[in-house]
Each structure stands twice: as C-alpha cells, then as structure tokens.
Amino acid sequence: MTFFGSIGKKPTERIRIAIDVGTHSIKAIVFTVPAAGTLPRVLKKLVFKLTATLSPIQKVSRLHEFLFNIIRELGIVPEKITIALGPGLVEYDITTWTITKPSGKRGIAKKDVTAIFQRLLVEHQDKYRLIVAIPLEILVNGYALKTDLPSKIPPAEISFRVILLYMPGVMGIALEEIKKSLGGMPINFTTLAACSREAIFRSFGEKEALLVDVGGDESTLVFLKNRTVAEFAFFPAGANDFLRMLARERHIGHAESETLMTQYIQNHLAPEIASSLELILKNAATRWKKSFIDALDMLYNAGPLPQEIYCFGGGVNQPEIYRTISDADWMADRSHITRPSVRILNASDLFGGNSLEGFLQGPEEVGLASLMLYSLYHEPPF
C-alpha cells in the first residue's frame, strides 16, 4: 500500500511537493493545492539525514533517490515540484542584466520582455556551469515595470534584477538529469532567499524587513525592500559552532553536548551548571556576532536597515544568538532606527498560527513553510 492510500488522498486533489536541501538534511512536504479561502492539506512530511562526509554531488544523488522514492509512492508525477538548494550545494548572487534600445518601437508589454530575458539567460550561460536565473523585478528606463509600458514612452533601457544560482560542471548536469527523469518532471530550482520574500510579504504584509536564518553550519541574511529581495549574504557560522565549543570546553562528545544544550535552553539545569555554560556560550556568541556584523556590511548598498527583524532556523533557539540579534549596538551605523524589533518566527506563523495538523513546527521549519507558500502563490514578474 502506498502512503497516499494510507492517509486518504482524494482523486480530485492537485498535488505539489516542496523540498528543502540543506547542509545536514533533505526535508520534503507533500501537500494539496487549497481551494480559495482554505489552507493546504499536508499529506506527508519526510526528512532524510545527510552525513557530514557527503560531497555536494553525492548530496544531489541522494536528492534524486529521495525524490524518486516519493514519486514511486505517489504513483503519479505531481503538478509542481519546488526545490530550494542550500548554499552548501550552489553559489548565489544578485545581479542586474541590462539591454539598451531593446526595440525600435514605443511602449512595451510585460509579455514582450520574456524573449529578451531568455536571450540574456542564454548569453550568460557558460560551458563550465549551469546558471539558473530567478527574476525579481523588471526595470524600464530605471523604473520598476508594474504594468505594460505606455506607447508614448520609448523603452531606452530594460533591466532585469535576478538571483543567480551557479551549478558548476557535474553538479549542473546531475540536477538537470533529475528534471529529465521519469519522462520529465515539473521542477523549479530556487533559493530560500526568494521563498522567504513571498512568505513574509504574504503572511505579514511587510514591505521592508531583515530576515536572519540561522542554520547548523551557516547563517543567511536577506534584506527585503520595496516588496522584493534587495540583497542577501551568507556566513559560515551557526548553531553547531556553539555545540562544538561546548563539547571542547566541557570535554564531552557531540551527543552529550546536544543533550546539555537542550537542558540549558529549557532551563532544566542547576543554576551553577547553567552559569558555567553561559560563560562558554557567550564566547561562541562573540564569534557569531563578528561574522554577523561582517555579513551586515555586505548589505550596505541596499540602504539603511529596516526596524523589523524576523529570525528563524534551528539556531535561533540558542538564547545567545537571539540576544545578539536583539542588541541595539549593531544597528547604530546601519539604520535610522535605534533599536530593532525582533521576532522569532515559527513555521505555523506563516499560516496564521495553524500548524497544518502538526506538520509544521518551530523556527526550524520556516524554510519548508516558505517553500509551500512560494509554490502556491509566487508569480514571476513576467
């Protein structure tokens, strides 16, 4: 019996899959497309652990196997599969592609820019790596194109702001093979930076915000401005740095340090033990803060930082990380605001507090929830 038979999939339901490929795990959620005014129904959530010794290409191989097994259980290819590739697999960048005097006519319809974009995408490909471009917005003569350009205005210049995913050599070939398997699958590769914009704007209406995603071995900053991704930055520091320092200073193994950290976070330790751990973890927080501030400097060109800060990822459960982000000192030279407004997100917050029958829990699954919203509601600018 397939797992869809065991959980009561209805024959008329439209099925989608969202997959988050991280450093240490692959998470997938299988869900239905909801009717207007309702929430999606989760059919299955799956987690596949990745060992630290796996190379990026081996992780792609595991992704292929993982997805194939889901499809086999489904018995059908879903109508859409959205896969977010983490920074441990691909490189990201935000850039602008510009073409001058795109046509000899006045005015331009949004649908007309598709051919221009595809031509630019081909021009920017190279033989050493596959490039996937996620368009953020279209600029005509320096202004964002929201509707068709009136015929009285000549389009002297068209620009595309895009997030680029660089997939080197064998990696790009392997990811393309996944799309071609089973006669061709409707796969969209993306990044959580793009998905988080969709989630924050749709769930909270925020036009500007700084998102801080703290993972195990890396953290991501996403600066949202004017309802789009203005800039992002990554740095190789996360919750596991706190565990490693704890293990080293206490002369214990990784599993023991995880248990001790859980007890510390839940305030289940004797006061004297908790105080000794706090001193150790403050040192780890100082190192994380330095990397955090260095990454903030990479957002400089996007302008002053906003007041609203949304934090998520498994690492924000670490109290020292939350206190570091909530501290006002790092905003002094980067914003007109003197103190940030910091909120820790849970996955259920993106669905109005509904955990979808318990499938979406905690800050660590905000990425997966964001992927669902991106799959359901994202509309490209053309």
Side-chain angles (χ1 to χ4, degrees):
M1 178 183 292
T2 67
F3 64 71
F4 284 91
S6 66
I7 61 175
K9 173 192 173 296
K10 300 175 184 177
T12 58
E13 287 180 317
R14 298 161 56 197
I15 308 299
R16 296 188 180 182
I17 301 175
I19 301 177
D20 178 13
V21 186
T23 304
H24 301 292
S25 67
I26 302 173
K27 296 180 180 180
I29 194 158
V30 185
F31 58 98
T32 65
V33 177
T38 66
L39 294 173
R41 188 169 74 94
V42 176
L43 302 179
K44 191 78 171 182
K45 184 176 73 175
L46 307 98
V47 179
F48 181 79
K49 296 293 185 181
L50 298 171
T51 61
T53 57
L54 289 176
S55 67
I57 191 63
Q58 287 174 320
K59 290 180 181 180
V60 172
S61 178
R62 298 296 189 277
L63 169 63
H64 197 166
E65 296 169 7
F66 183 66
L67 180 56
F68 181 80
N69 287 333
I70 295 174
I71 300 297
R72 184 177 59 185
E73 292 287 342
L74 258 176
I76 59 169
V77 174
E79 67 175 29
K80 182 187 287 188
I81 303 169
T82 306
I83 302 177
L85 302 171
L89 283 180
V90 298
E91 296 178 10
Y92 302 151
D93 189 19
I94 287 185
T95 191
T96 301
W97 292 341
T98 300
I99 183 170
T100 57
K101 297 181 179 179
S103 69
K105 62 181 181 179
R106 289 177 173 269
I108 190 169
K110 289 179 70 174
K111 63 180 182 179
D112 296 334
V113 302
T114 302
I116 298 173
F117 178 79
Q118 291 299 328
R119 186 167 75 247
L120 288 171
L121 179 57
V122 171
E123 289 175 1
H124 284 84
Q125 294 288 350
D126 64 50
K127 62 182 179 181
Y128 301 107
R129 57 187 179 180
L130 172 68
I131 297 176
V132 172
I134 304 169
L136 296 173
E137 61 180 344
I138 310 166
L139 304 173
V140 177
N141 302 343
Y143 296 93
L145 180 65
K146 302 298 184 183
T147 59
D148 294 348
L149 189 69
S151 59
K152 64 182 179 180
I153 302 176
E157 179 181 276
I158 295 182
S159 299
F160 301 89
R161 289 191 65 251
V162 294
I163 295 178
L164 298 180
L165 281 64
Y166 297 102
M167 307 175 184
V170 178
M171 177 81 68
I173 295 172
L175 289 168
E176 280 294 291
E177 285 300 317
I178 296 177
K179 294 181 70 172
K180 294 176 183 177
S181 61
L182 296 177
M185 289 196 283
I187 293 176
N188 293 319
F189 292 117
T190 187
T191 165
L192 287 181
C195 298
S196 59
R197 174 264 165 203
E198 192 79 38
I200 296 300
F201 176 66
R202 185 170 186 84
S203 300
F204 308 109
E206 295 287 2
K207 297 179 181 179
E208 296 191 358
L210 177 66
L211 314 183
V212 184
D213 180 1
V214 185
D217 289 317
E218 70 276 324
S219 298
T220 305
L221 307 182
V222 182
F223 187 174
L224 302 182
K225 187 175 182 179
N226 298 326
R227 301 184 182 182
T228 190
V229 178
E231 191 58 87
F232 54 71
F234 307 96
F235 57 97
N240 288 338
D241 295 290
F242 290 75
L243 291 174
R244 283 188 282 266
M245 181 170 284
L246 189 59
R248 183 169 62 251
E249 295 296 323
R250 300 281 295 190
H251 306 289
I252 57 178
H254 181 77
E256 292 175 279
S257 67
E258 284 186 318
T259 300
L260 198 59
M261 182 71 78
T262 300
Q263 293 171 334
Y264 172 75
I265 292 172
Q266 296 176 350
N267 295 317
H268 290 169
L269 293 174
E272 62 275 13
I273 298 177
S275 296
S276 66
L277 261 60
E278 186 174 354
L279 291 174
I280 296 172
L281 296 174
K282 278 184 177 180
N283 290 330
T286 299
R287 296 185 182 185
W288 188 89
K289 183 177 181 179
K290 181 182 183 306
S291 297
F292 173 64
I293 290 175
D294 289 344
L296 286 172
D297 291 339
M298 298 171 66
L299 308 180
Y300 176 81
N301 289 334
L305 293 176
Q307 182 175 19
E308 301 301 324
I309 315 292
Y310 290 89
C311 305
F312 49 92
V316 298
N317 290 319
Q318 174 61 49
E320 280 68 26
I321 289 181
Y322 175 73
R323 282 195 284 266
T324 296
I325 299 170
S326 300
D327 193 348
D329 64 347
W330 60 266
M331 287 200 85
D333 300 324
R334 299 176 177 85
S335 178
H336 305 308
I337 306 301
T338 57
R339 178 171 292 278
S341 174
V342 182
R343 174 176 177 176
I344 293 181
L345 283 183
N346 291 305
S348 59
D349 294 334
L350 301 186
F351 291 94
N354 193 313
S355 67
L356 305 185
E357 298 185 352
F359 282 102
L360 294 176
Q361 300 281 351
E364 62 274 14
E365 292 186 342
V366 167
L368 206 55
S370 298
L371 266 168
M372 290 179 66
L373 290 174
Y374 185 86
S375 169
L376 289 169
Y377 304 113
H378 174 68
E379 295 183 3
F382 55 89

